[in-house]
Amino acid sequence: MTTSNTTPGDVDPAVREELSRLRDSIDNIDAAVVHMLAERFKCTQQVGRLKALHRLPPADPAREARQIDRLRVLAESAKLDPGFAEKFLNFIIGEVIRHHERIAGDTANAAAPAAD
């Protein structure tokens, strides 16, 4: 974090207004990202249930590699650091796999015969 020699009262009102406008845009984008992630996870939950029902593994390394390659290309075309995009997708993939493992476990437990 950086420090400044100016106090908030010393900042030009036009600069304060521009900061506020930009921060409002950032807040809106953050909200959109959260909603998009929620939609993505709704889809991946369905994938997890389908995999569990058909006893498919929670992870699909070939698909994950294709997605990472695809996202890196998209990031480059969007002028975003591809390394950052890959880290972000790896984090999401890790969460998805954890969800799929939990769904698989829940499905297996529900299908197991009850002990007498």
Side-chain angles (χ1 to χ4, degrees):
M1 179 167 208
T2 60
T3 58
S4 173
N5 292 333
T6 61
T7 61
D10 295 341
V11 177
D12 182 324
V15 171
R16 216 175 301 130
E17 177 72 26
E18 181 68 1
L19 277 172
S20 179
R21 185 188 67 76
L22 290 168
R23 287 174 175 163
D24 286 346
S25 291
I26 290 167
D27 293 348
N28 289 336
I29 294 165
D30 288 346
V33 167
V34 167
H35 288 282
M36 292 299 295
L37 285 171
E39 286 301 310
R40 188 185 196 287
F41 277 99
K42 285 179 189 175
C43 291
T44 61
Q45 294 290 336
Q46 292 174 0
V47 168
R49 285 191 288 279
L50 189 61
K51 284 181 171 184
L53 286 172
H54 296 278
R55 293 184 174 86
L56 297 170
D60 184 344
R63 164 131 171 102
E64 294 157 20
R66 287 190 309 272
Q67 285 297 95
I68 288 169
D69 289 344
R70 182 178 152 273
L71 196 70
R72 287 184 69 91
V73 170
L74 287 170
E76 286 178 19
S77 69
K79 307 287 190 255
L80 180 67
D81 176 13
F84 169 77
E86 183 174 345
K87 287 178 197 173
F88 182 71
L89 185 60
N90 279 326
F91 175 76
I92 291 171
I93 289 169
E95 279 297 299
V96 168
I97 291 169
R98 279 189 335 97
H99 292 179
H100 289 184
E101 290 169 342
R102 188 194 57 184
I103 292 167
D106 291 350
T107 301
N109 290 338
D116 289 332

